Amino acid sequence: MITLPKCRRLSILAGMQEQDKTADRNPHIIEDRIIRAALSGHIAPGERLGEKDLSQIFNVSRTLVREAMMRLQARGIVEVSPRRGWFVIEPSVEEARHTIDARRALEVGMLVTLGDIKPAQIRILREHVLAEQQAVNSGDLAQRSYLLGHFHVCLAETLGNPVLASLLQDLTTRTVLIAALYQSTHDAHESCCEHGQIIDVLEKGDVTEAARLMDVHLRHVEKALNYRHVSNRLEHLKAALQAT
């Protein structure tokens, strides 16, 4: 799992806000920054998000922060605990599997019904995958996590479906949160290669094959998460038994 000291994580959010000091006029900026931080792994699954901290970071009232957190709760990104506050969701592998099933229905359906794709769209997607490859090769875990997850949002946006892109952002964030717990470098490399293969067949105009590859890709993601979960659980049990 990608973890950073609290002061470092808060400074990252503050730095994001410095790029756009309009949260008081556009409260959705708070949501966007938190989602991006979660996608990149700077905010970990299960992490507490204090209203006071966030109000100071974004220089807004706690009421505005609370409204943003309630919207994120409705989107399934955070949850609230009585007397303890707001927390980033910490999904189980089973919950991630249900999320991937939902993504499969949306993404495969999008590709099956796709019309002609333009060279400019292919170029945008290839640039995204190139950035993925650079992040994987450099060992930048946060950037790798963000780009691999955001590919699916980028795909929907590039193909001209903003509604689907918005839905996929929420679903992908949930998947990435559990990937931050269980995804290996090998898994990340495989995902990047599969993204490239999908673009290859889209460039040829074979949407049926693109849809098939997307289905296979998401099944690989699900299988990898399940495998890592079992491996981690067995390692934990082994360590516990050896300690007795």
Side-chain angles (χ1 to χ4, degrees), residues 3-166:
T3 57
L4 294 170
K6 181 179 179 181
C7 59
R8 175 58 178 154
R9 296 194 300 268
L10 294 182
S11 68
I12 288 169
L13 281 173
M16 290 179 175
Q17 179 56 15
E18 284 298 318
Q19 300 169 13
D20 192 341
K21 298 181 179 181
T22 58
D24 55 338
R25 298 190 298 275
N26 182 5
H28 292 287
I29 286 177
I30 299 174
E31 297 171 66
D32 293 341
R33 295 294 186 268
I34 290 174
I35 287 176
R36 183 178 177 89
L39 274 172
S40 65
H42 290 308
I43 294 179
E47 183 163 335
R48 184 177 182 276
L49 299 174
E51 290 182 6
K52 181 179 179 180
D53 290 337
L54 292 175
S55 68
Q56 292 175 347
I57 289 169
F58 291 101
N59 193 27
V60 298
S61 69
R62 293 181 65 170
T63 298
L64 199 60
V65 169
R66 193 174 301 116
E67 291 174 356
M69 300 306 287
M70 290 174 67
R71 285 191 294 271
L72 286 171
Q73 182 185 30
R75 297 169 66 176
I77 307 302
V78 303
E79 56 190 4
V80 65
S81 174
R83 297 184 298 277
R84 296 185 63 213
W86 300 97
F87 293 82
V88 179
I89 63 166
E90 193 168 5
S92 66
V93 171
E94 183 178 5
E95 290 168 335
R97 185 162 53 246
H98 292 322
T99 299
I100 292 174
D101 285 342
R103 286 178 54 188
R104 182 180 297 112
L106 291 173
E107 297 188 62
V108 172
M110 174 184 68
L111 293 174
V112 167
T113 59
L114 181 65
D116 294 334
I117 185 167
K118 299 177 176 59
Q121 294 171 306
I122 293 294
R123 186 164 56 252
I124 291 172
L125 295 173
R126 288 205 182 281
E127 289 173 355
H128 193 285
V129 171
L130 177 60
E132 291 178 18
Q133 292 172 338
Q134 293 172 341
V136 171
N137 293 338
S138 69
D140 188 338
L141 301 185
Q143 185 71 349
R144 179 188 86 183
S145 179
Y146 172 75
L147 290 172
L148 288 173
H150 193 67
F151 168 80
H152 299 266
V153 181
C154 177
L155 181 62
E157 290 177 340
T158 303
L159 298 181
N161 196 323
V163 174
L164 185 54
S166 179

Side-chain angles (χ1 to χ4, degrees), residues 217-231:
H217 168 60
L218 292 174
R219 293 185 188 280
H220 286 169
V221 171
E222 178 183 347
K223 182 178 179 180
L225 294 181
N226 285 331
Y227 172 76
R228 297 297 166 190
H229 171 67
V230 171
S231 296

